[in-house]
Amino acid sequence: MEANLRWSLVTAAAPIAWGTNYYVTREFLPAGHPLYGAALRALPAGLLLLAACRKLPRGSWWWKSLLLGFLNMSAFFALVYVAAQRLPTSAASTVMATAPLVMMLFAWALIAERPGPRQLAGAVLGLAGVSLMLLTGAVPMDAVGVAASVTAMAMSSFGYVLAKRWSAEVDVLASTAWQLLGGGLLLLPFAVAAEGPPPALDLPEVLAFAYVTVVATALSFAAWFTGLRRLPAATVGLLGLLNPVTGVLLGTAIAGETLTLRQICGFLLTLTGILLGRKGRFLTARNGRNSGRSDNINSGLNCRQ
């Protein structure tokens, strides 16, 4: 229990940082450059982690890095950039809170992780809270922004479960670095073709990109994939609900966005879903046992850092 709490706290740092990313992107990064914005986020972060782990892909990890990089980084970053530019901070982040249910379904299908009743109930409560926060706001929702956010959520949920399925093969920093570099390299030719020369950046934009690269990308994804290795995917997905919570708090406290009474109720439902699902049990599809013992065994076998 103590170890699971520790890894939960480590994992929770990622969605909190991602929640701040919406505000930083909307307020400080140049609009109209989602592909360059995504590439400038992924490539420096990947190089930073590669310098830390000093390992190159081998064998099948060349194509796995490209596939995971596309799902979790390149397409995801570009779509999130679009969503952050077209939606209020709170709305852009709350769409992503549907990820726990989607991750549970993918984990059940791909790695035989069947969520327990409390985790399902927590995900449903979180989804209900998201619906209240998204559909009852004072500001109309941009359809393109919502579509970009939903697509990013679905692709990344699938990519995260794939990364968990393959996680025993390499250490966390290495696989995270390869995904970021693969995703960034895939983005570059499309950025040049679609957006022309890279945007000129002033000092605030450079500092904003530095924050997004180091904190909201390199450190956050390392924490997230560490959690995916040591915790059930359903539990990690529920911790992702801290993303919209952070986005809402920043949107109201700093960006001057307002919440209706129904949105406040949705906010509270989302928090309740996190707490309820965090206490739930996780069952494997094969034997229906609590995952605690198997997770501890896997952690001992897979910890190579």
Side-chain angles (χ1 to χ4, degrees):
M1 289 294 294
E2 183 179 348
N4 285 342
L5 177 60
R6 181 173 67 251
W7 291 121
S8 295
L9 292 175
V10 170
T11 308
I16 291 173
W18 294 336
T20 67
N21 182 61
Y22 291 97
Y23 173 76
V24 174
T25 299
R26 185 177 177 87
E27 298 296 327
F28 297 104
L29 297 187
H33 295 85
L35 297 178
Y36 272 118
L40 290 174
R41 178 182 179 183
L43 284 174
L47 291 172
L48 183 65
L49 293 181
L50 187 65
C53 70
R54 299 184 180 181
K55 293 180 181 179
L56 292 176
R58 292 184 178 181
S60 64
W61 267 96
W62 286 103
W63 68 263
K64 288 178 180 177
S65 298
L66 290 176
L67 176 59
L68 294 176
F70 172 74
L71 293 172
N72 296 335
M73 310 300 176
S74 57
F76 176 73
F77 288 168
L79 290 167
V80 166
Y81 198 100
V82 171
Q85 295 286 350
R86 300 181 71 102
L87 293 175
T89 300
S90 55
S93 58
T94 52
V95 174
M96 298 300 294
T98 56
L101 279 174
V102 178
M103 283 185 67
M104 287 180 191
L105 294 176
F106 282 133
W108 196 345
L110 295 177
I111 55 177
E113 287 187 0
R114 180 160 59 93
R118 282 181 177 267
Q119 289 176 319
L120 286 172
V124 170
L125 279 179
L127 182 57
V130 167
S131 299
L132 282 174
M133 297 174 73
L134 178 63
L135 302 177
T136 61
V139 180
M141 295 297 104
D142 179 86
V144 174
V146 172
S149 194
V150 170
T151 304
M153 177 275 301
M155 294 180 66
S156 62
S157 296
F158 177 62
Y160 294 154
V161 174
L162 272 185
K164 180 176 177 64
R165 181 176 180 174
W166 296 330
S167 66
E169 302 175 11
V170 293
D171 66 68
V172 173
L173 285 184
S175 64
T176 306
W178 302 338
Q179 291 179 61
L180 286 166
L181 289 172
L185 291 173
L186 287 173
L187 277 167
L188 272 182
F190 293 98
V192 173
E195 298 176 2
L201 303 177
D202 57 22
L203 181 58
E205 291 169 336
V206 171
L207 294 177
F209 266 118
Y211 172 81
V212 169
T213 296
V214 177
V215 178
T217 305
L219 296 178
S220 297
F221 274 100
W224 184 254
F225 287 120
T226 298
L228 273 172
R229 172 169 294 190
R230 292 170 171 83
L231 298 169
T235 300
V236 175
L238 284 168
L239 289 171
L241 292 172
L242 292 170
N243 182 333
V245 169
T246 305
V248 167
L249 291 177
L250 282 178
T252 55
I254 300 178
E257 299 170 6
T258 59
L259 293 178
T260 66
L261 179 59
R262 289 184 179 180
Q263 285 183 302
I264 294 173
C265 292
F267 178 83
L268 296 176
L269 274 178
T270 303
L271 287 178
T272 303
I274 296 174
L275 295 175
L276 179 63
R278 179 65 189 86
K279 297 178 181 179
R281 290 187 174 185
F282 158 78
L283 305 173
T284 63
R286 290 182 179 177
N287 55 26
R289 294 178 182 173
N290 188 288
S291 67
R293 188 178 71 175
S294 62
D295 283 348
N296 291 336
I297 294 172
N298 288 335
S299 296
L301 292 175
N302 297 337
C303 186
R304 302 179 183 177
Q305 283 86 338

